[in-house]
Structures are given as structure tokens and as C-alpha cells.
Amino acid sequence: MRTYMTMPCIVEIVDANADVKDIEAVFDYFQHTDESFSYFKPTSELSAINSGKLKLEDASAEMREIFALCEKTKEQTDGFFDILQPDGTYNTSGLVKGLAVHRGAEILRRRGYKNFCVEIAGDMEVSGHNEDGTDWVIGIQNPFNRYEVIKRVALTNKGIATSGVYERGSHIYNPKDWTDKIEKIVGLTVIGPNVYEADRFATACYAMGEEGIYFLEYLDGFEGYLVGSNGIAMMTTGFAKYIIT
Amino acid sequence: MKKYFLSIFTILSFVGYALYERQVNPAPPLIDNTITATAGNGRPGRTLAVTDIVTPPTVTTNTPTPEGRVPKPIPTPVTPVTKPAPTPAPTPAPVALGKFKDGTYDGDIADVYYGLVQVRAVVQGGKLVDVVWLNYPQDNQTSLSKSARARPLLTAEAIAAQDAQVDRVSGASATSGGFVDSLASALLQAKA
């Protein structure tokens, strides 16, 4: 087994004879993604688009693909996912992060690994089993106390992502109403077929506020756990099957 | 969006109709106020138990009308809407102002252009406290967003600390919004 843990990125391979080169390939991919899609780095390709130096049609195939996926997600979520910021710039991070983790996991799969976990900052994709030979045990962080777990779920071959508030305050906006502070909920965890799917719907459904959990209820292949600012949580019907009591 | 508004408008129509049927006089302002509160939430079809937990009383926002501004007294409502018997109330009974009779009132099934809809109005303590979808088109995915359908009753619970023995923790971190900044610095550490 080999674990590379450099918060917030963790790559853990359970399979025997894991090669550090394979883990580095994942990290290289993360770094490449960050350099292309960083909203803040002036050198990123996304910044070139946002500054008007680069037109989307002239951008890399990868960039155009991401924009297309963002547009698809916007349509699928009734506009609650939108990379267009109030100032006219684009911020793709609500989708790129989950996609990067998922593709990091794909790199490991292509190289023959079966049992591993790839994570960036609380969003992760788990494959096969953990070191104990059981499903991966994932805790849902208490939005009111980051050192506490309020739920444990057992997952294999799934993605899980959480959107919510953190110490510096809410970081998710409602793109349909930028003045909406989404105050009634503090955390939404989504389990999906992979972390790309889980992450983009966690972002969009969080922006829906309390409605997000109902959206997830009807979304095939997804389950959700929503924590309200009053400390009451709601879960989708199928979420219970993952819970470790 | 248009259909969404249409849904809300349909609720308003039915509830208004249901309550109107129970009155001799035109619906008092309370109806409008109450329904606006419901529709202002923008969400059709709520289920009492769940929404009560998560959104405390969004539908019970109608405050008692101040005495001086109250419209004419309202006769006692008598029969349920579903059996629209003539209302025998030529002499308005002096009931509490702006109040409805407690009970559950089902509206008629109506055919809107995207399907059949029916709503139920719940009156408690003289106030309209809930509007529930009894019938709502479920088969037309293109016309309605999924979350706008009838509501299931989802499990709700108070959060509580659990055994912290886990492989990983999923939570909103300072980097979630960005995939930037802290990730970049972390990668530099990883490379070092």
C-alpha cells in the first residue's frame, strides 16, 4: 500500500506493489489542471479567456470541453449551476475540481489499480476496498465543527462530494440570485457514480438551498445528505443504505 | 419558468377557489396574504412534516389582522368544497375576523395544459397552514424541473457526533470553492 498525503490532495493505493510513478502521474495531472483552470492565477488559460486575450473558440480542446460540460450542467440543474460570474468572468472551479479528481482516479484505473482513493479537499472517489478489505468508510464532517463526524457511510466505486460553508463564510452563490446568501443550509453531501458527478450536483443543489435535497431525490444514481443551519439534516430515500450505524 | 409560474398560479387559483366556496362574501385579504406567503417561497407542493422541520413556519406568516383595518365580518363557512352545497349564510355569523374553519379541503382536479393537477388546502387554527399537491404531472420531464414535482417525505434527523473512525472525511473545505490557491501551494509541497 502506498499513501501520498499532501493536504488537500490525497492519493491512497491499497493494491500491492503500487508504483510511486503512478501516483506522481495523478499529481502531475492535478497540477496541469490547476495551471490551466485557476481562476486567480494570471497565467492560467482561464485567466486569458477572462481577460479577453483568448477567445473560447481558440482555446484548448480541454478548455472547450470544460465549458461544454459546464453548459450541460447548467441545463441539467435548471440554471443553478452557472460559471458566469456577476462581473462577466468565468469560474469553472465548481466543475473542474470534481472532474480532476475523477480523472485522477481514471489514471490509476488505466494503470491497473483496483483499490484506491483519490481526494482533493474533502471530495473523493473510492474504488474497490480499503486497507481492511471492506468498503471505504467515509465520514461526513460536521459543518459546525470540522473536527467532528456526523455520519459515516460505506462506499465502493462511488464519488462523494460536499458543498457548504467553511470558516471564511459561504463560498457558494446562487447564480440565479447573487444576493441570495443561502442561509438556511450549511452543508450538502452528495454520493454519485463518480466524484465528477457528485461534485457538480453538490455545487448546483447547494445553490438551490433547501430544495436541493428534493432535486437529488429524483436524480437517478445520486443520494444526498443536507444539513440545515438549524442542525437538522435531511437525507434522500436511498441514502440510508450507505449509512454505517 | 413559465410553467413554474403557471403551477404557482394554479395553486393560487385552487386555494382561492376552495376558500372562496366556503365564504359568502368575497375572499378577505387574508387569503391573498396567506397565499402570497406560500407562493413567495416559490415551491409548490410541500409536505407538512418535512418542511416544518427545515423551514419553520413559512406558510403560517399571516399575522392577525389589526382590528381597525379588518374588512367586513366573514360568515361561518359550512360545507367542504368537494360538496359544493349552497351556503346558507344570509346572516354573517360573527366569527373571528379573517379566519377559516379548520379542516382539509380538496380542490377539484383540473386539466392544465401539461397535465392534471389537484391541491389540498389545510386550515388549522383558522389559518391556511399548508397547500399540498394531491395530483401533479409526473410524466412530463420536459415541462417541469424535477424538484418541482410532488414532494416525497424525506427522513429528517438532528445531527449528532458519530464514531470518528473513518478512512476519509468529506466536508466543505477552504479550497472547495477554488481548486486554486491552497491546492497550488499543496502541490508545490508535494513536489518538494
Side-chain angles (χ1 to χ4, degrees), chain B residues 14 28 30 34 46 57 59 70 75 81 89-90 114 116 118 122 143 154-156 158 162 166 172 179 181 188:
Chain B
F14 285 2
L30 175 58
T34 311
R46 34 186 59 252
V59 287
V70 164
V81 186
Y114 55 86
L116 299 175
Q118 184 184 24
V122 179
S143 69
L154 300 181
T155 303
Q162 308 286 310
V166 294
F179 187 59
D181 288 350
L188 288 176

Side-chain angles (χ1 to χ4, degrees), chain A residues 73 75-78 80 201 204-205 208 210-220 222 236, chain B residues 145-148 151 154:
Chain A
T73 303
E75 286 167 15
Q76 288 174 327
T77 59
D78 205 16
F80 279 98
F201 280 106
C205 292
M208 296 176 192
E210 303 148 282
E211 297 302 311
I213 196 73
Y214 294 101
F215 186 96
L216 288 168
E217 174 71 12
Y218 286 114
L219 196 60
D220 289 341
F222 291 80
T236 55
Chain B
S145 75
K146 292 181 174 184
S147 61
R151 291 298 182 70
L154 300 181

Side-chain angles (χ1 to χ4, degrees), chain B residues 1-18 31-32 35-36 38-45 108 110-114 117-119 131 133 136 144:
Chain B
M1 260 336 257
K2 199 196 294 179
K3 290 156 190 170
Y4 197 64
F5 284 127
L6 183 62
S7 306
I8 293 167
F9 175 75
T10 309
I11 302 179
L12 302 190
S13 310
F14 285 2
V15 174
Y17 172 75
I31 291 179
D32 286 333
I35 293 169
T36 303
T38 307
N41 201 19
R43 321 296 186 191
D108 293 333
D111 189 6
V112 293
Y113 74 92
Y114 55 86
V117 297
Q118 184 184 24
V119 294
V131 178
W133 288 100
Y136 201 73
L144 293 163

